[in-house]
Amino acid sequence: MERAAQVRAGSALFAGFRALRLFSSDIPHVVRYSALKRRFYVTTCVGKSFHTYDVSNSVPQDICCMAADGRLVFAAYGNVFSAFARNKEVVHTFKGHKAEIHLLQPFGDHIISIDTDSILIIWHIYSEEEYLRLTFDKSVFKISTILHPSTYLNKVLLGSEQGSLQLWNVKSNKLLYTFPGWKVGVTALQQAPALDVVAVGLMSGQVIIHNIKFDETLMKFRQDWGPITSISFRTDGHPIMAAGSPCGHIGLWDLEDKKLINQMRNAHSTAIAGLTFLHREPLLVTNGADNALRIWIFDGPTGEGRLLRFRMGHSASLTSIRYYGQNGQQILSASQDGTLQSFSTVHEKFNKSLGHGLINKKRVKRKGLQNTMSVRLPPITRFAAEEARESDWDGIIACHQGKLSCSTWNYQKSTIGAYFLKPKGMKTDDITATVMDITSCGNFAVIGLSSGTVDVYNMQSGIHRGSFGKDQAHTGSVRGVAVDGLNQLTITAGSEQLLKFWNFKSKVLIHSMSLDSSPNMMLLHRDSGFLGLALDDFSIKVLDIETRKIVREFSGHQGQINDMAFSPDGRWLISAAMDCSIRTWDLPSGCLIDCFLLDSAPLNVTMSPTGDFLATSHVDHLGIYLWSNISLYSVVSLRPLPTDYVPSVVMLPGTCQSQDIEVSEEQLEPCDEMVEYESPEQLNAHLVTLSLLPESRWKNLLNLDVIKKKNKPKEPPKVPKSAPFFIPTVPGLVPRFAVPEQNNDPQQSKVVNLGILAQKSNFYLKLEEGLENNKYEAALNLLKELGPSGIETELRNLSPDGGGSIEVMQSFLKMIGIMMDRKRDFELAQAYLALFLKLHLKMLPSEPILLEEMTKLSSQTI
């Protein structure tokens, strides 16, 4: 068992493909300008990957800081950083730090790196050699930021957490000047458009415009939103400075009037990680830890920026994901941030956000509320979608955390729908909607409540269309509802350990069955009629809704089962649990065929309708992770896993598509699991076994004469007589042409005597050998290689008239008898024997030896 665990590392069915909808983190972005293409490029990092739109690459660990110049992008991970050319290939790697690198500064042909121990190293980029190393005492001067002032040759300005600043000449390795600072830690340094002037951001929220040539403070600004996270200046002729804050607000300051002219509140839902004005453009690029990258344009009269373009994912952990549609290209996802979004597995340009749910959408539009936080709905906990009538009315229904009403959403319009579905006259204090489902026709929604009530609503009008049961369907909370594909049966599961089957139209209870434990969730595969039930005792039961019986039971999870998914053909059931495992159960065999662990517990799992990808979401992760189905493009062993199988941990895929990994020869050695199964020539000696020959080889043996007659030409092709060059003439006075002589001898026969000229064929010789050693495999193999005409010729020549003998005919019948005894090549034996009898039936009664063999054959039964 240990060897099996070593050979089968990871998952045998699923391979990490890539992550979706990850755009930004708390690391500031970098902007670089390509003089060749005359375009700006924005680079952000997400975990181990950095994106330069539209190119991305990855590094072995999470990126801790980035920098860029006109040619290269630098990314630091741990105590190492690399230089990337053309945004994808690593051209240089720099190793020498012992602590984590947190600052990078390009410096001409050099690059400056600073780690958390305040050790500064200057590297030569192309030789990767260390040029200079400076060590600072962290208790006195812990470096927090770095800047290369414009026109200051070979000089860098360092800011510290203690508040002081130092100006160094890195070529001569000399400290030129120390700025005492403002007794508050420095968080940001930015070069102003004017020479010798820099902006200093402080922990207190102040921005100091300081002349470093004369050590003179020119002006001060203060924001009440906490420390300054980043600073940028407009360079398109407007004296505007932008400053970011930890609460996601951006302050815009007029440097001429020395006042605040505008506030961009809630530009991001988290701290502003980085903001940059593009050179000589009215464009501001911002990013934050809310997984968003935004570009703002300043083209209004008031100087306020409006959103121009954005790349945005979820800013909080996901609560539910499901594939939408039948093409397997769109994934709907709900998050704790309150949004419902659609992600494309093909290209990011097809992504769209359905927005936040609003309690009163009309009131917000009428009053023009800017801050909609007070009227937003709570996060979506579960949702169901059906695209059958999406062009006519809403096709998505969602239940919200702590809410009784369920909201409807329109996918085509990308907005919340017109209705909130809830029963009339019910108190909303403690009762909440727990589960829901939409019928396959898209006309009805079934909603289960925590009180045990199950209601039906019309999706087009939002009208209540009845309830299951007299007062309530269950005495406990409803844990699952499902409707079959024909709208005939509704299945509900309650926390009181009961599973009930209802008539969808009449709302009458048909059947009820008790469960061993309370159900946690329920999932129906409408095509196959299989119902999956995840119970609180960490087991899974599969029911057939037609027979209403449990057909499979699975156990093995060690934690709560969060989600399940069926494969499109209904053969696999995939389950994800809090024990950080994803397991694949084979329903026909009832066995576990695949299992792997993850470093983060999976919350949701959904299978593509086309079966090519498995999508998952995880605790403390903002993205959706795709896993490719290996069985679609490779041979996969689906043997059951042993009971003591120990799964291995698989890393989550990155935002880059997985590339081929070189595998060592040891891993390529065949193991017991991957031995290809070879079918035996005969499954059992008592079973009839057919040959693998096509029907054209044996099916028309008895009809060859009819086929030849149909294919016979009506008249032979006429060959034109070739005239001689000199036409012969008869000698005489009158010239006459000579007539060729004709042979009219009636005694000359054109029939060839086959008995004289006949030669023994290989089949004939093998039959003669069979009389001596009683082995006919070689003779049978020769017959299998022949076509119908060749087989007829061989069997016709077995008779004495065709050049054969009685003994050879006897040998042929013995060969047929052996085939009958072994019960192999059954159809060939019947076809060969039938043709033999057709050709030689007249002479068989006159030969006692052949009659004896025929008697033996007639006594044999199949």
Side-chain angles (χ1 to χ4, degrees):
M1 300 304 176
E2 294 180 358
R3 180 177 180 268
Q6 292 176 359
V7 172
R8 196 173 187 176
S11 172
L13 286 180
F14 301 104
F17 184 63
R18 66 187 180 101
L20 299 177
R21 214 57 169 166
L22 293 175
F23 301 105
S24 177
S25 66
D26 58 345
I27 305 301
H29 67 269
V30 293
V31 177
R32 65 187 185 90
Y33 178 75
S34 174
L36 180 62
K37 297 184 178 180
R38 297 182 180 179
R39 296 184 63 181
F40 288 97
Y41 291 94
V42 180
T43 303
T44 61
C45 77
V46 178
K48 302 177 183 179
S49 303
F50 70 85
H51 300 174
T52 301
Y53 290 89
D54 287 323
V55 185
S56 64
N57 204 341
S58 61
V59 294
Q61 302 177 23
D62 287 351
I63 296 174
C64 47
C65 65
M66 289 193 310
D69 58 13
R71 295 162 296 177
L72 302 174
V73 175
F74 302 92
Y77 45 95
N79 58 357
V80 180
F81 71 98
S82 299
F84 293 80
R86 289 177 289 277
N87 300 313
K88 45 177 131 180
E89 58 179 278
V90 178
V91 291
H92 303 290
T93 300
F94 304 89
K95 300 179 180 179
H97 286 279
K98 296 182 179 179
E100 182 180 286
I101 301 171
H102 74 111
L103 290 174
L104 290 174
Q105 175 64 50
F107 199 69
D109 291 338
H110 297 77
I111 177 75
I112 302 175
S113 60
I114 303 172
D115 60 22
T116 54
D117 291 338
S118 292
I119 296 178
L120 183 149
I121 302 178
I122 302 177
W123 310 81
H124 192 277
I125 294 178
Y126 300 103
S127 64
E128 301 179 11
E129 295 179 355
E130 185 177 316
Y131 175 77
L132 177 66
R133 177 185 290 258
L134 297 176
T135 302
F136 296 85
D137 188 357
K138 292 193 299 182
S139 61
V140 178
F141 191 88
K142 185 175 183 180
I143 303 175
S144 60
T145 182
I146 183 174
L147 173 68
H148 170 50
S150 297
T151 70
Y152 279 57
L153 187 64
N154 300 326
K155 298 175 182 64
V156 293
L157 181 65
L158 304 177
S160 68
E161 293 184 0
Q162 288 78 11
S164 60
L165 293 89
Q166 294 183 3
L167 184 65
W168 282 79
N169 187 319
V170 295
K171 185 174 182 180
S172 60
N173 190 15
K174 290 183 179 181
L175 174 62
L176 301 179
Y177 190 80
T178 300
F179 301 89
W182 298 266
K183 300 180 180 180
V184 182
V186 179
T187 58
L189 287 175
Q190 181 62 37
Q191 174 68 50
L195 296 179
D196 304 324
V197 179
V198 298
V200 183
L202 304 179
M203 287 289 295
S204 61
Q206 282 185 312
V207 180
I208 310 297
I209 308 299
H210 197 76
N211 189 311
I212 59 174
K213 184 176 182 180
F214 302 103
D215 192 9
E216 178 183 353
T217 299
L218 303 180
M219 59 187 77
K220 293 183 180 180
F221 304 103
R222 184 180 184 86
Q223 295 182 173
D224 297 331
W225 302 322
I228 303 299
T229 58
S230 55
I231 304 171
S232 185
F233 292 90
R234 286 186 67 173
T235 56
D236 59 340
H238 296 268
I240 303 298
M241 179 188 69
S245 66
C247 56
H249 305 327
I250 298 175
L252 300 175
W253 301 86
D254 191 321
L255 300 179
E256 289 185 352
D257 298 337
K258 300 181 181 180
K259 66 177 183 179
L260 180 68
I261 60 171
N262 222 317
Q263 298 179 6
M264 298 172 59
R265 289 185 172 268
N266 300 314
H268 289 267
S269 59
T270 59
I272 304 294
L275 55 86
T276 305
F277 276 108
L278 298 186
H279 185 61
R280 294 184 179 178
E281 296 282 349
L283 299 176
L284 176 65
V285 181
T286 63
N287 78 297
D290 57 351
N291 195 21
L293 174 66
R294 293 183 170 95
I295 299 179
W296 310 82
I297 184 170
F298 294 83
D299 55 357
T302 60
E304 182 180 1
R306 64 178 179 88
L307 188 61
L308 179 64
R309 297 186 185 93
F310 65 91
R311 284 285 186 265
M312 182 182 68
H314 287 295
S315 59
S317 60
L318 280 67
T319 57
S320 182
I321 62 172
R322 286 293 180 268
Y323 268 95
Y324 183 78
Q326 297 300 318
N327 57 5
Q329 296 180 358
Q330 299 291 335
I331 300 178
L332 281 175
S333 64
S335 170
Q336 288 287 348
D337 59 10
T339 61
L340 181 64
Q341 301 188 27
S342 173
F343 301 153
S344 172
T345 60
V346 179
H347 197 277
E348 290 180 357
K349 66 181 180 181
F350 300 116
N351 294 348
K352 63 179 181 179
S353 175
L354 279 69
H356 288 84
L358 302 178
I359 298 176
N360 194 331
K361 184 178 178 181
K362 294 182 179 179
R363 175 174 170 267
V364 172
K365 283 187 175 182
R366 185 173 61 252
K367 293 191 175 183
L369 296 178
Q370 297 295 330
N371 187 5
T372 60
M373 297 296 294
S374 59
V375 294
R376 287 183 178 179
L377 288 170
I380 295 173
T381 55
R382 291 187 181 182
F383 66 87
E386 181 60 51
E387 66 169 353
R389 304 301 294 270
E390 66 173 2
S391 59
D392 300 325
W393 51 75
D394 301 338
I396 304 172
I397 182 172
C399 61
H400 298 263
Q401 183 177 347
K403 295 285 290 185
L404 172 63
S405 60
C406 290
S407 60
T408 61
W409 299 73
N410 193 296
Y411 184 82
Q412 284 192 346
K413 297 180 181 178
S414 302
T415 182
I416 191 170
Y419 304 111
F420 287 93
L421 308 180
K422 66 177 180 179
K424 295 182 180 180
M426 183 175 291
K427 296 181 179 180
T428 62
D429 296 338
D430 300 327
I431 302 175
T432 60
T434 55
V435 289
M436 85 297 300
D437 192 18
I438 294 183
T439 58
S440 59
C441 61
N443 292 323
F444 299 99
V446 183
I447 301 175
L449 306 180
S450 59
S451 61
T453 305
V454 179
D455 300 303
V456 181
Y457 298 87
N458 186 282
M459 289 296 292
Q460 181 182 7
S461 61
I463 299 176
H464 184 264
R465 293 300 187 187
S467 303
F468 292 95
K470 295 182 179 179
D471 297 329
Q472 54 189 15
H474 293 271
T475 57
S477 175
V478 181
R479 299 286 181 85
V481 293
V483 183
D484 68 345
L486 301 177
N487 292 359
Q488 295 181 350
L489 197 64
T490 302
I491 306 103
T492 61
S495 59
E496 74 279 10
Q497 303 181 15
L498 285 180
L499 183 68
K500 296 184 178 181
F501 297 81
W502 309 80
N503 184 288
F504 179 79
K505 186 175 181 181
S506 63
K507 314 292 189 299
V508 177
L509 180 64
I510 299 175
H511 181 70
S512 177
M513 62 182 298
S514 59
L515 302 172
D516 299 335
S517 179
S518 297
N520 180 40
M521 68 163 298
M522 187 173 71
L523 180 66
L524 174 65
H525 188 260
R526 286 173 174 166
D527 294 341
S528 63
F530 286 148
L531 182 73
L533 279 170
L535 306 182
D536 286 343
D537 60 358
F538 311 150
S539 65
I540 300 174
K541 297 184 183 298
V542 181
L543 288 86
D544 187 350
I545 62 173
E546 293 185 3
T547 61
R548 298 164 196 154
K549 293 182 179 179
I550 297 176
V551 294
R552 291 290 184 270
E553 295 186 12
F554 303 117
S555 60
H557 280 294
Q558 304 298 321
Q560 175 185 328
I561 300 174
N562 295 327
D563 202 1
M564 297 185 297
F566 281 99
S567 61
D569 56 2
R571 293 182 60 89
W572 298 344
L573 177 62
I574 304 164
S575 58
M578 289 302 294
D579 58 2
C580 297
S581 69
I582 294 180
R583 298 172 183 257
T584 304
W585 313 88
D586 186 64
L587 296 182
S589 63
C591 299
L592 176 67
I593 58 174
D594 188 62
C595 177
F596 62 96
L597 296 176
L598 299 158
D599 54 0
S600 180
L603 291 176
N604 300 279
V605 61
T606 179
M607 191 78 173
S608 168
T610 57
D612 49 357
F613 289 111
L614 176 74
T616 61
S617 66
H618 301 266
V619 176
D620 297 332
H621 286 75
L622 306 181
I624 297 175
Y625 298 89
L626 293 182
W627 308 79
S628 59
N629 186 357
I630 303 177
S631 65
L632 293 183
Y633 54 84
S634 178
V635 178
V636 177
S637 172
L638 296 181
R639 294 190 177 184
L641 297 180
T643 55
D644 57 349
Y645 175 75
V646 179
S648 58
V649 178
V650 178
M651 300 301 295
L652 291 175
T655 54
C656 304
Q657 294 185 6
S658 298
Q659 301 177 352
D660 296 336
I661 301 175
E662 296 183 359
V663 183
S664 61
E665 296 181 358
E666 298 178 357
Q667 295 177 347
L668 294 177
E669 293 180 359
C671 61
D672 295 339
E673 289 191 1
M674 295 305 297
V675 173
E676 186 177 354
Y677 176 75
E678 295 182 359
S679 178
E681 294 183 358
Q682 190 172 14
L683 296 178
N684 192 285
H686 300 286
L687 298 178
V688 171
T689 303
L690 303 180
S691 68
L692 299 178
L693 293 181
E695 293 183 352
S696 60
R697 293 287 186 91
W698 55 268
K699 196 171 185 179
N700 296 320
L701 287 177
L702 295 180
N703 302 321
L704 278 180
D705 51 350
V706 179
I707 297 174
K708 289 181 178 179
K709 188 176 181 181
K710 288 182 178 180
N711 297 337
K712 184 177 180 181
K714 294 181 180 180
E715 58 182 10
K718 297 179 180 180
V719 180
K721 296 181 179 179
S722 58
F725 186 77
F726 296 102
I727 300 177
T729 57
V730 177
L733 297 176
V734 179
R736 290 182 301 169
F737 293 105
V739 179
E741 297 181 358
Q742 296 181 357
N743 188 8
N744 296 325
D745 187 4
Q747 296 181 353
Q748 185 176 0
S749 175
K750 295 182 180 181
V751 178
V752 180
N753 188 354
L754 295 178
I756 301 174
L757 302 178
Q759 295 182 354
K760 295 181 180 180
S761 64
N762 292 333
F763 176 68
Y764 190 96
L765 296 175
K766 295 299 180 183
L767 288 179
E768 288 183 338
E769 294 178 3
L771 287 173
E772 301 176 0
N773 53 22
N774 202 30
K775 294 181 180 180
Y776 294 97
E777 287 81 2
L780 181 59
N781 292 333
L782 289 175
L783 272 187
K784 287 182 179 181
E785 296 176 357
L786 298 176
S789 299
I791 295 174
E792 185 193 29
T793 303
E794 291 288 354
L795 297 190
R796 189 182 296 275
N797 293 339
L798 294 181
S799 64
D801 295 339
S805 63
I806 301 298
E807 291 76 11
V808 175
M809 296 177 69
Q810 179 187 8
S811 177
F812 176 80
L813 293 176
K814 286 185 177 181
M815 182 186 74
I816 299 297
I818 292 176
M819 295 172 66
M820 295 288 191
D821 288 338
R822 296 180 180 177
K823 295 183 173 59
R824 292 175 55 182
D825 301 322
F826 170 73
E827 78 278 25
L828 296 184
Q830 298 291 330
Y832 295 161
L833 181 60
L835 180 60
F836 181 83
L837 294 177
K838 179 181 178 180
L839 296 176
H840 310 295
L841 185 61
K842 293 183 179 180
M843 67 170 296
L844 288 178
S846 60
E847 300 294 338
I849 299 177
L850 300 181
L851 277 178
E852 183 180 355
E853 291 295 334
M854 292 297 299
T855 304
K856 294 179 181 179
L857 282 178
S858 63
S859 62
Q860 293 180 351
T861 58
I862 298 297

